[in-house]
Amino acid sequence: MEKKDFLYEGKAKQIYSTDDENYVIIHYKDDATAGNGEKKGSIKDKGIINNQITALLFTRLEEKGIRTHFKEKLNDRDQLCEKVKIFPLEVIVRNIITGSMSKRLGVKEGTKPENTILEICYKNDEYGDPLINDHHAVALGLATYDELKKIYEITLKINDFLKELFDKEGIILVDFKIEFGKNSKGEILLADEITPDTCRLWDKETGKKLDKDRFRQDLGGIEEAYIEILKRLEA
Ligand code: C5P
């Protein structure tokens, strides 16, 4: 299938229509942003690597019975996906406390909580993607209680599967962000991407950060870290 009209540009991807109204082509860019767009840059070949990582992870999730928007990888930077209406929510899972939760609540970075922590944020650049709860989401019309319940159920399954998958490759899945959408049949599908842009991934042996924190914190070796993740997943 070929790209038709340009539909939308996000921070890391572009979306194009296709001849089939139920499908879109998602193009992965090298652009990188952090701190709600305050820091801007580019990571060499990131789009190519992240297209591959998302294709690989979404294929494995589909094999485990988790429905995703992903259909097929078309070339280096493009993938064919089912068209969905995205819930304007970022669903965050934390297996280890760090990042914004450490800052907000004063919890020491690297603390392992007894439970798995789920958060939702309202996808809204103007307000800096604020943390909200279910009641806010329903009041704002972002999702229904029933949809949120389904989203959390799927999210926990995704976390169980990904935690084990990364663990086998010597990587700790610290936390990650995912997004969901609804297709034309009203089915809830995992959408967007799962990549080192959207996950915190630490090497089990050394604790080395193999994710976008290398860009956020100017640690260098960003492209190498992303390639390392892809290599281990492909092994
Ligand atoms: O910054 P924070 O600690 O809330 O991030 C939690 C997780 O969600 C991290 O893995 C981060 O990469 C991801 N995230 C994201 N996009 C955002 C916010 C967070 O992918 N806009």
Side-chain angles (χ1 to χ4, degrees), residues 90 92-94 98-101 104 119 129 175-177 196-200 212 216:
E90 296 190 333
I92 292 173
V93 180
R94 297 183 193 273
T98 184
S100 69
M101 180 168 168
R104 200 175 51 244
E119 292 174 357
D129 299 337
D175 57 27
F176 61 97
K177 183 268 303 181
D197 270 5
T198 61
C199 302
R200 284 197 176 93
K212 197 172 160 188
R216 295 186 187 104

Side-chain angles (χ1 to χ4, degrees), residues 86-87 89-91 123 177-181 189-192:
I86 294 278
F87 290 96
L89 292 172
E90 296 190 333
V91 182
K123 255 171 78 84
K177 183 268 303 181
I178 46 178
E179 295 183 22
F180 290 89
L189 308 181
L190 173 67
D192 196 50

Side-chain angles (χ1 to χ4, degrees), residues 47-97:
I48 298 174
I49 303 163
N50 280 354
N51 184 24
Q52 263 172 285
I53 293 176
T54 298
L56 187 151
L57 291 176
F58 277 37
T59 302
R60 302 239 181 115
L61 285 164
E62 285 273 355
E63 287 162 7
K64 284 282 153 192
I66 289 159
R67 301 279 315 278
T68 81
H69 73 161
F70 177 75
K71 288 295 158 204
E72 67 175 304
K73 187 169 162 287
L74 299 173
N75 56 50
D76 265 9
R77 288 180 183 271
D78 297 333
Q79 54 181 246
L80 182 68
C81 293
E82 202 170 328
K83 188 173 186 175
V84 293
K85 190 162 186 300
I86 294 278
F87 290 96
L89 292 172
E90 296 190 333
V91 182
I92 292 173
V93 180
R94 297 183 193 273
N95 296 309
I96 292 181
I97 300 170

Side-chain angles (χ1 to χ4, degrees), residues 11-78:
K11 293 185 186 107
K13 299 187 287 298
Q14 292 171 336
I15 303 186
Y16 294 86
S17 65
T18 66
D19 288 333
D20 187 328
E21 62 175 7
N22 290 315
Y23 291 89
V24 290
I25 290 175
I26 300 186
H27 175 85
Y28 280 70
K29 306 188 288 179
D30 288 347
D31 298 353
T33 60
N36 197 27
E38 274 163 34
K39 182 177 167 138
K40 284 196 176 76
S42 173
I43 301 168
K44 189 174 163 282
D45 294 339
K46 174 171 83 81
I48 298 174
I49 303 163
N50 280 354
N51 184 24
Q52 263 172 285
I53 293 176
T54 298
L56 187 151
L57 291 176
F58 277 37
T59 302
R60 302 239 181 115
L61 285 164
E62 285 273 355
E63 287 162 7
K64 284 282 153 192
I66 289 159
R67 301 279 315 278
T68 81
H69 73 161
F70 177 75
K71 288 295 158 204
E72 67 175 304
K73 187 169 162 287
L74 299 173
N75 56 50
D76 265 9
R77 288 180 183 271
D78 297 333

